[in-house]
């Protein structure tokens, strides 16, 4: 993260880890493999292999019956992911321009994020909670564009927003953008 993908060598990784460079090669094989492993860990926050959608925080959000509260819980989850992923997304997007395999990995990550966010949009649509005229597809697009580690990076890292400010903004924005007015 500190030096960027292109500038970081396997020798530098080994030196920072205080291991022999041969150890880094033996464990990961390539720099790309290190980046892929980081992506997997940063997405969920630990080294467990349980997918995000099967984790307690996601399940609590999906089980919530109040759509507004559901989006507040989603905003908390997206903020946590943004904190962990923002810098990595910047590194990946920079590296994607010079490495087609990293570009493919980045694209797959975006597709997985879209798939997961579609689950939320589908649940809101099935509950009749989406604002009139808003399709499930368009709701997914809005979630995908706004609840994004790069948006977190822009506001928290670049503009200095606190975690709490970002999370509150995200929840309020998603409620306003996606949900029907409760008075109507």
């Amino acid at each position: 993260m500190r030096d960027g993908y292109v500038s970081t060598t396997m020798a530098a990784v080994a030196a920072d880890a205080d291991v022999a460079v041969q150890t880094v090669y033996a464990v990961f094989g390539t720099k790309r493999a290190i980046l892929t492993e980081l992506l997997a860990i940063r997405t969920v926050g630990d080294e467990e292999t349980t997918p995000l959608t099967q984790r307690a925080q996601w399940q609590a959000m999906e089980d919530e019956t109040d759509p507004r509260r559901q989006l507040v819980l989603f905003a908390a989850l997206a903020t946590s992911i943004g904190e962990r992923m923002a810098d990595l997304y910047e590194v990946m997007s920079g590296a994607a321009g010079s490495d087609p395999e990293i570009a493919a990995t980045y694209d797959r990550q975006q597709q997985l994020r879209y798939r997961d966010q579609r689950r939320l949009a589908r649940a809101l649509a099935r509950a009749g909670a989406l604002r009139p005229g808003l399709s499930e597809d368009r709701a997914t697009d809005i979630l995908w564009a706004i609840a994004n580690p790069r948006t977190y990076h822009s506001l928290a890292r670049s503009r200095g927003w606190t975690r709490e400010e970002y999370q509150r903004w995200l929840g309020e924005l998603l409620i306003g953008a996606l949900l029907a007015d409760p008075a109507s």
Side-chain angles (χ1 to χ4, degrees):
M1 305 299 172
R2 182 185 64 228
D3 300 327
Y5 182 79
V6 174
S7 298
T8 301
T9 64
M10 292 293 265
V13 171
D16 281 358
D18 199 26
V19 298
V21 72
Q22 294 84 354
T23 301
V24 177
Y25 278 109
V27 172
F28 294 104
T30 66
K31 224 172 33 166
R32 190 177 311 109
I34 294 172
L35 193 59
T36 301
E37 183 68 20
L38 271 172
L39 181 63
I41 292 169
R42 293 270 174 107
T43 299
V44 295
D46 58 41
E47 294 182 30
E48 295 295 319
T49 58
T50 305
L52 178 65
T53 56
Q54 294 176 18
R55 290 175 174 256
Q57 192 176 9
W58 184 278
Q59 291 296 308
M61 183 266 305
E62 277 194 339
D63 292 344
E64 177 58 54
T65 58
D66 175 11
R68 292 179 184 284
R69 179 77 184 127
Q70 196 171 30
L71 286 173
V72 167
L73 291 171
F74 176 76
L77 178 61
T79 299
S80 295
I81 293 169
E83 281 182 310
R84 294 188 303 265
M85 296 286 290
D87 295 332
L88 183 57
Y89 261 44
E90 294 302 307
V91 168
M92 286 186 73
S93 66
S98 62
D99 187 323
E101 289 185 37
I102 291 178
T105 298
Y106 184 74
D107 288 345
R108 271 192 306 279
Q109 171 63 22
Q110 295 302 308
Q111 292 168 6
L112 291 172
R113 193 168 60 78
Y114 191 87
R115 182 203 64 200
D116 290 348
Q117 290 171 342
R118 177 177 285 289
R119 286 176 62 140
L120 175 55
R122 182 171 292 132
L124 292 169
R126 287 181 179 158
L130 294 178
R131 65 180 165 79
L134 183 63
S135 69
E136 177 184 316
D137 287 343
R138 189 55 55 100
T140 305
D141 291 348
I142 291 168
L143 285 164
W144 183 81
I146 296 170
N148 183 328
R150 297 194 82 180
T151 303
Y152 180 87
H153 187 277
S154 294
L155 294 175
R157 301 278 200 273
S158 298
R159 302 303 312 151
W161 287 28
T162 67
R163 178 189 207 290
E164 293 76 20
E165 288 170 329
Y166 178 82
Q167 184 175 320
R168 184 175 45 255
W169 168 81
L170 182 59
E172 290 170 357
L173 183 66
L174 291 174
I175 288 168
L178 298 176
L179 300 184
D181 183 357
S184 58

